[in-house]
Amino acid sequence: MNEIVGIAYILGDDISTDDIVPSYTLTMRDPREMAQFTLKFIDPNFSNDITGKNIIIAGENFGTGSSREEAVNVFKILGIKAIIAKSFARIYYRNLINNGIPGITLNWDETLFSSGDRIKIALHDGIISNISKKKKITFTKLPVFITCILEEGGVLKKLLKNG
Amino acid sequence: MNLTLAEKILLNHSRIDDICPGEFIECEIDLIMVHEQLGGRIHVEFEKLGLTKVWDPEKIFFILDHWIPAPTISAAQMHQDARNFARKYQFIHNYSDQLNQGICHQVLPELGFARPGMLIVGSDSHTTTYGAFNCLSTGIGATDVSVVFATGKLWFKVPESYKIALNGEFKKGVMAKDFILQYIGDISTKGAIYKSLEFHAAESLSMDSRMTISNMAVETGAKFGIFLPDARLEKWLKFHTKESYNAMKPDENALYEKTYNYDLSEITPIVAKPSSPGNIEKIENVEGLEIDQAFLGSCTNGRMEDLRIAAKIIKGKSVNRNTRLIITPASKRIYQQAIEEGLIEIFINAGAVVTHSTCGACIGGHLGVLASDEICISSTNRNFKGRMGAPSSQVYLASPATVVASALKGKIADPREVL
């Protein structure tokens, strides 16, 4: 889990869970079908555009709104390995960590990241390298409590292992 | 000690001796509320644990409210999965077949399940509503619900607290909704991420109003929105529960990260424009905008106080010919009381549609879905893009008084002018 390498995809501020998973898709039984509707209202082609990209870099208050964990699961299905945001909504952050996906809080601007950049995250060291832009950025390391959950691949796997 | 309400209640539910904001602790949960999400990801996640029972079937409150009665096959399927799970694990408080009960956040307190000092979690972000009853309550996702089902415990990061002192009384035509929209606008929808909002209100603030404020506390990003206990709460509890409880107050020298003071008599009608509850405007600046639909209902504003002021405004008048008004009481009990008080007849005579109690219209699920480019003024809590229907539809959030005043005129209107 320490090192995550991937391609960046940029999103804006205040992306809500309603944006990520519109309510009308919530009753779909097949999560893969639901994932096709990810961010449909923001970018109708998102589920295609995201192909080949696996690190989301977003603005403020990412995941604001409802508690629907589908808004984490669809990203998991689409192959997202980590989310970097200026700030996260509380429930969304928990849902990310509980599902074993690192959420990194970082104040960034356009000089640091663009869509398509190759990114390397060294989680334990608190360093993000933008390989495309040849830049290194430090972030506040995640608390040990959080990295322990991530190491196990999520809170349910941790529970299964440790009881 | 110098503890806030959140710190005190979390400490009471943990095995530690001292508590400090920022630390991670494990707490025992008094009650968990689940709704349709049980048939969504929760049952799928929980089954991964391979357990034959839940930790305590007495401490689970299960109700269906978002899509009831099921308007589509997929919703019906979701309900079936949820009901099957509840039967398999022998939930005691299972209201999934009592489709007329109402919206979870209204029904749970009405049935006496929200009592002071409790730590409650729920599969819905507006679980903060029970803060009105001096409960520490918050929304969680499906994985967290599965953990609680399995162990009865959950990890928490101890939040810093904001103290919000509410003094004075609302002027005519101004409601708790106007205050909470004002507050969300003042501090922004990310202004209290991971914080506990602690409301110190005057006894004159009604329980219905407190519920509206605690409900939308989450729209600031907050984890909790809890009120101090007082005589008004005591009175409410007498009518709703026979169980004992442990009302909690913060220490006198509790440490708050920020303190806010509001004189409620200075609050004026507020509208949140698309597509954020924090995008607020004074009514004067949006007045006159033509609307297609007005919606009064939801866990935020479908209570007696809301229906009474609506009836007062609309009695003997008619909804504008080019506008539709939909009214959804928040629960069966409220619906019945509104019938007894003659409010439903007033609404129907004025041309409103009165529906059974459900979350339907608020989430664009059913009973009031918007078409492309339609504009709706709504007493609900969120106006995100596509929230109530088509992605190009637009939702303006407002108080019940503003919603109904607008329905009369067919455009956004100031309730102070029609009261």
Side-chain angles (χ1 to χ4, degrees), chain B residues 209-384:
Chain B
S209 289
R210 295 178 195 194
M211 289 176 80
T212 299
I213 293 168
S214 289
N215 176 277
M216 284 193 78
V218 69
E219 258 54 70
T220 64
K223 179 180 197 149
F224 306 120
I226 184 167
F227 278 80
L228 269 60
D230 63 5
R232 187 174 279 263
L233 173 60
E234 292 281 342
K235 193 178 163 197
W236 196 95
L237 290 163
K238 259 187 206 144
F239 282 100
H240 292 88
T241 181
K242 290 188 172 70
E243 304 270 334
S244 63
Y245 51 83
N246 183 17
M248 300 296 292
K249 286 182 175 172
D251 289 326
E252 266 184 33
N253 50 350
L255 294 175
Y256 299 98
E257 190 173 291
K258 289 181 184 171
T259 301
Y260 299 86
N261 289 292
Y262 282 89
D263 179 350
L264 298 182
S265 69
E266 288 175 6
I267 301 289
T268 59
I270 298 291
V271 171
K273 298 185 294 180
S275 301
S276 163
N279 192 18
I280 64 162
E281 196 72 75
K282 284 193 181 296
I283 189 118
E284 293 84 347
N285 300 330
V286 277
E287 226 177 332
L289 181 81
E290 283 189 21
I291 55 167
D292 299 289
Q293 179 171 303
F295 177 72
L296 172 57
S298 83
C299 57
T300 308
N301 279 124
R303 287 177 267 280
M304 285 315 298
E305 176 175 286
D306 308 322
L307 301 186
R308 283 182 190 133
I309 196 163
K312 197 172 171 188
I313 290 171
I314 212 169
K315 189 176 183 180
K317 297 176 185 155
S318 291
V319 174
N320 184 279
R321 294 277 314 160
N322 299 313
T323 302
R324 44 195 195 258
L325 172 62
I326 300 166
I327 299 178
T328 301
S331 73
K332 173 188 74 175
R333 283 196 188 178
I334 289 170
Y335 202 147
Q336 286 174 320
Q337 196 176 338
I339 291 172
E340 280 168 28
E341 292 184 17
L343 309 185
I344 302 298
E345 200 179 350
I346 291 170
F347 297 146
I348 292 171
N349 286 341
V353 174
V354 182
T355 81
H356 66 279
S357 181
T358 168
C359 311
C362 173
I363 51 155
H366 57 135
L367 298 176
V369 181
L370 300 174
S372 303
D373 301 320
E374 282 191 330
I375 295 176
C376 177
I377 187 147
S378 177
S379 73
T380 52
N381 42 51
R382 287 182 181 140
N383 55 353
F384 300 145

Side-chain angles (χ1 to χ4, degrees), chain A residues 1 25-26 36 93 95 102 128 139 142 152:
Chain A
M1 176 52 81
T25 69
L26 274 177
Q36 298 310 306
Y93 192 75
N95 288 345
I128 300 169
F139 65 90
L142 301 180
E152 300 293 348

Side-chain angles (χ1 to χ4, degrees), chain A residues 16 18 23 26-27 29 41 60-61 65-67 69-70 73 88 90-91 94-95 98-99 145 155-156, chain B residues 24 37 41 45 74 81 123-124 138-144 155 189 193-194 223 363 382 385 387:
Chain A
S16 74
D18 276 73
S23 292
L26 274 177
T27 56
R29 230 180 178 186
F41 293 167
E60 299 277 11
N61 208 10
S66 121
S67 62
E69 198 167 286
E70 287 83 353
N73 199 46
F88 287 93
R90 182 192 73 86
I91 304 175
R94 280 186 79 102
N95 288 345
N98 283 341
N99 279 277
F145 183 88
V155 81
L156 287 189
Chain B
F24 293 89
Q37 274 292 342
R41 284 187 56 75
E45 292 300 302
S74 63
D81 288 342
S123 66
D124 188 281
T138 195
I140 56 173
T143 301
D144 273 335
W155 66 270
T189 52
I193 291 178
Y194 249 105
K223 179 180 197 149
I363 51 155
R382 287 182 181 140
K385 199 173 183 184
R387 170 78 177 186

Side-chain angles (χ1 to χ4, degrees), chain B residues 23 30 154 249:
Chain B
E23 69 181 336
D30 292 320
L154 204 61
K249 286 182 175 172

Side-chain angles (χ1 to χ4, degrees), chain A residues 35-124:
Chain A
Q36 298 310 306
F37 293 84
T38 307
L39 286 164
K40 199 86 180 166
F41 293 167
I42 303 290
D43 172 6
N45 298 316
F46 179 82
S47 62
N48 288 325
D49 294 352
I50 197 69
T51 310
K53 303 185 181 74
N54 40 24
I55 294 177
I56 286 178
I57 302 180
E60 299 277 11
N61 208 10
F62 190 77
T64 183
S66 121
S67 62
R68 60 189 72 164
E69 198 167 286
E70 287 83 353
V72 167
N73 199 46
V74 289
F75 283 140
K76 212 170 171 178
I77 289 167
L78 294 170
I80 302 302
K81 291 183 189 167
I83 300 182
I84 298 168
K86 289 178 188 168
S87 59
F88 287 93
R90 182 192 73 86
I91 304 175
Y92 195 83
Y93 192 75
R94 280 186 79 102
N95 288 345
L96 264 185
I97 301 303
N98 283 341
N99 279 277
I101 301 176
I104 295 164
T105 308
L106 178 79
N107 205 2
W108 61 275
D109 61 35
E110 292 74 24
T111 62
L112 292 179
F113 302 113
S114 316
S115 267
D117 283 355
R118 196 171 168 76
I119 305 289
K120 188 170 89 177
I121 304 169
L123 212 53
H124 297 322

Side-chain angles (χ1 to χ4, degrees), chain B residues 93-135:
Chain B
H93 309 293
N94 178 353
Y95 296 92
S96 62
D97 284 316
Q98 283 70 56
L99 287 188
N100 70 351
Q101 281 290 341
I103 301 172
C104 60
H105 302 312
Q106 185 63 29
V107 178
L108 188 149
E110 275 179 359
L111 295 179
F113 285 91
R115 299 184 296 276
M118 286 176 78
L119 179 59
I120 306 179
V121 291
S123 66
D124 188 281
S125 57
H126 292 106
T127 301
T128 52
T129 310
Y130 320 136
F133 308 95
N134 191 238
C135 300

